[in-house]
Amino acid sequence: MSVRPLPQSTPAAQGVDASGVHAFLDAVDAAPDIEPHSLMIMRHGHLVASGWWAPYTEDRPHLLYSLSKSFTAAAAALAADEGLLDFDAPVISYFPEFEADIADPRSRAMLIRHVASMASGHGADTLYPALALDHQNLVRGFLLLPPDHDPGTVFAYNQPATYTLGAIVRRVTGQSLTDFLRPRLFDPLGIGETAWLRDRSGGELGFSGLHATTDAVARLGQLYLQRGVWEGERLLSEAWVAEATRAQISNTEVETSGIDWQQGYGFQFWMSRHGYRGDGAFGQFCLVLPEHDAVIATTAATEQMQKLLNLVWEHLLPAFGPTPLPGREERDAALAARLARLALPPAAGKPAPPERAEAWSAVDFAPHGGVCEAQPTLTAVHITEGRNLALIDDGQPLQVPIGNDGWTVVEEPVPLAVSGGWSDADTLVVDIAFLETPHHLVVTCSLTDGTFTARWSTQSLHQGALRTMRAPRASL
């Protein structure tokens, strides 16, 4: 399917001051603990600014982590509109095979609206306790855990709640979430290919694991901003959008990573100090700002998500003004030029030391300390011809080129970009960016003792072999 481009305009024509966008770019580039990957700004239905920090690109899917939840919720809304599920029905009513197992009255009283709003009654996330109770069926494990409070009375961010919501959609539709969403949401919105991580039963995780482009995130946000209507066609009911994007449950007393996580929770959307949002770990944001008729979509790699939001509120919000802003052509052109050349600095490194060329021509490295704690499946590193690095991970070699200037991009078997080189004659440091995720692995090889170390810049929440650090493919 060909993806229809979003309507485009200049920032000034839509009342966006380019200087505010410049200030935001300056701020994120200056923040050592924020690595931006992409930015898209929509105003009055038009794309006014967009950019990707090389080696990340516009057409590449990115792991959205918990921003996936907002797409799962849309699937539930569409199923409800078709009369296939009822948000006021008990969750257990959709899993009659568990009737004999689930005796706790609070578990039996849990409604679909409760799992959709993170108000199942549990006091904390139940992912690992639920898996401990039933490693094969997360829904059953979740329902076997008695809630600490009556459903609907307390907030707790709870991955199995969203998984259960997605499992109900799959059950009542007889389709995967992706197949159900494709003709009803993805195709009408003009969203291209997506991919979703699945569990051992074959079901999409729902609460995480969706890989999609930043463009897809912006389109979802714009659909909600337009109250469910896209190009004159109603895709989501106006009542659903209103309910999903208001606080269904209070979370003001919850200990969180920042104040924007204490503004209330809707149906798989967070309320913010400004507007509302879908968000995912490490800086995947869909910010919807009805008061400014604007949508901001980002992907990134940061553990300081509140800091990233603070920079949006500090620099981008003041940029939204009256329409149009006259006499801004040069400023708009300068911003467009800057956005077109965004790039992450490659890791520093020198070329292979000529005085040690023979020593580096063919050498093997073992994990320092016997085990690579950051990536236990990574058991050895081989270098051949002084420029070919092979990471032996889960028993298979992952070839990584080294010794080139800038970023070197490799597409198979895993899309990645490599930079770095020799920090001294006996030490090689390579930065490996897994381009369909927020994550980098930094590998350091020491010729002195024949060992290597590895560390993640941000630790993947979906643990597995390095070859799985990509959007799922049918062949995998």
Side-chain angles (χ1 to χ4, degrees):
M1 185 198 79
S2 60
V3 177
R4 300 183 299 277
L6 291 165
Q8 297 190 31
S9 181
T10 63
Q14 304 304 324
V16 179
D17 187 346
S19 64
V21 184
H22 276 296
F24 175 77
L25 297 176
D26 290 342
V28 296
D29 285 345
D33 47 7
I34 296 176
E35 180 184 279
H37 293 172
S38 69
L39 171 70
M40 295 181 70
I41 302 174
M42 302 280 295
R43 184 92 195 279
H44 302 325
H46 292 80
L47 179 63
V48 298
S50 62
W52 285 258
W53 279 258
Y56 297 87
T57 56
E58 178 179 4
D59 57 351
R60 192 179 294 281
H62 199 281
L63 174 58
L64 300 182
Y65 276 114
S66 284
L67 183 47
S68 309
K69 292 178 171 69
S70 300
F71 289 87
T72 300
L78 290 163
D81 286 346
E82 295 180 20
L84 299 176
L85 64 81
D86 180 354
F87 273 78
D88 290 313
V91 171
I92 189 63
S93 67
Y94 291 87
F95 301 97
E97 68 273 27
F98 303 150
E99 278 279 353
D101 300 333
I102 311 305
D104 183 82
R106 285 174 171 164
S107 293
R108 298 184 66 85
M110 193 189 306
L111 307 180
I112 291 182
R113 68 170 50 253
H114 296 144
V115 295
S117 58
M118 298 297 181
S120 64
H122 296 94
D125 182 58
T126 62
L127 180 58
Y128 295 112
L131 286 172
L133 287 174
D134 193 328
H135 198 66
Q136 300 296 322
N137 192 308
L138 182 56
V139 173
R140 181 174 178 273
F142 172 59
L143 293 175
L144 283 171
L145 280 171
D148 309 284
H149 310 274
D150 290 338
T153 62
V154 298
F155 170 88
Y157 199 62
N158 200 347
Q159 312 299 346
T162 311
Y163 180 89
T164 298
L165 183 65
I168 292 171
V169 174
R170 295 197 307 270
R171 174 160 290 201
V172 300
T173 65
Q175 294 180 283
S176 69
L177 295 177
T178 302
D179 289 344
F180 183 68
L181 285 169
R182 175 55 60 189
R184 295 166 175 83
L185 192 77
F186 291 161
D187 284 349
L189 285 181
I191 291 176
E193 291 302 312
T194 62
W196 217 316
L197 292 177
R198 297 170 182 260
D199 65 8
R200 62 182 58 200
S201 73
E204 296 108 328
L205 294 183
F207 61 83
S208 185
L210 180 62
H211 294 70
T213 61
T214 316
D215 179 86
V217 174
R219 289 169 189 260
L220 181 72
Q222 189 65 31
L223 174 67
Y224 273 83
L225 182 64
Q226 294 170 178
R227 299 181 179 86
V229 174
W230 188 266
E231 295 181 346
E233 179 185 0
R234 178 159 294 284
L235 303 183
L236 296 172
S237 73
E238 188 168 11
W240 162 260
V241 172
E243 289 296 294
T245 61
R246 71 172 182 86
Q248 296 289 330
I249 188 77
S250 173
N251 59 2
T252 56
E253 302 302 320
V254 177
E255 291 187 11
T256 67
S257 57
I259 192 171
D260 276 295
W261 279 262
Q262 295 178 319
Q263 305 299 312
Y265 196 80
F267 287 142
Q268 308 294 292
F269 279 99
W270 294 89
M271 304 303 103
S272 290
R273 284 178 289 167
H274 307 278
Y276 56 89
R277 70 187 193 279
D279 72 38
F282 309 112
Q284 324 320 311
F285 283 123
C286 177
L287 309 177
V288 184
L289 307 170
E291 66 271 32
H292 297 288
D293 195 24
V295 171
I296 301 169
T298 70
T299 59
T302 181
E303 294 182 348
Q304 303 300 320
M305 292 176 65
Q306 182 64 71
K307 181 176 179 178
L308 180 54
L309 281 180
N310 290 345
L311 295 179
V312 171
W313 307 149
E314 180 181 354
H315 299 294
L316 293 182
L317 280 190
F320 298 130
T323 304
L325 295 174
R328 306 296 179 94
E329 292 80 8
E330 289 187 7
R331 297 184 192 182
D332 287 353
L335 176 60
R338 179 177 182 179
L339 290 167
R341 63 174 186 269
L342 293 173
L344 298 178
K350 302 174 184 177
E355 70 275 15
R356 302 287 271 160
E358 184 176 351
W360 282 102
S361 63
V363 60
D364 298 336
F365 300 91
H368 183 76
V371 177
C372 180
E373 294 184 2
Q375 183 68 23
T377 56
L378 182 56
T379 56
V381 173
H382 303 320
I383 294 180
T384 59
E385 300 178 1
R387 56 184 174 83
N388 297 317
L389 190 73
L391 307 180
I392 309 305
D393 182 72
D394 200 28
Q396 299 186 62
L398 178 62
Q399 301 294 337
V400 177
I402 56 174
N404 298 312
D405 292 334
W407 293 99
T408 299
V409 175
V410 176
E411 294 294 342
E412 294 295 341
V414 183
L416 52 84
V418 188
S419 66
W422 280 262
S423 59
D424 59 53
D426 292 322
T427 308
L428 172 69
V429 182
V430 178
D431 184 353
I432 306 167
F434 291 85
L435 293 174
E436 294 180 351
T437 80
H439 306 298
H440 292 239
L441 186 68
V442 179
V443 178
T444 302
C445 299
S446 171
L447 197 59
T448 303
D449 59 10
T451 67
F452 76 89
T453 60
R455 63 174 178 83
W456 290 103
S457 58
T458 51
Q459 179 72 54
S460 173
L461 303 182
H462 300 296
Q463 297 180 354
L466 296 178
R467 286 172 176 260
T468 66
M469 297 285 292
R470 65 176 300 170
R473 308 293 198 270
S475 59
L476 293 181

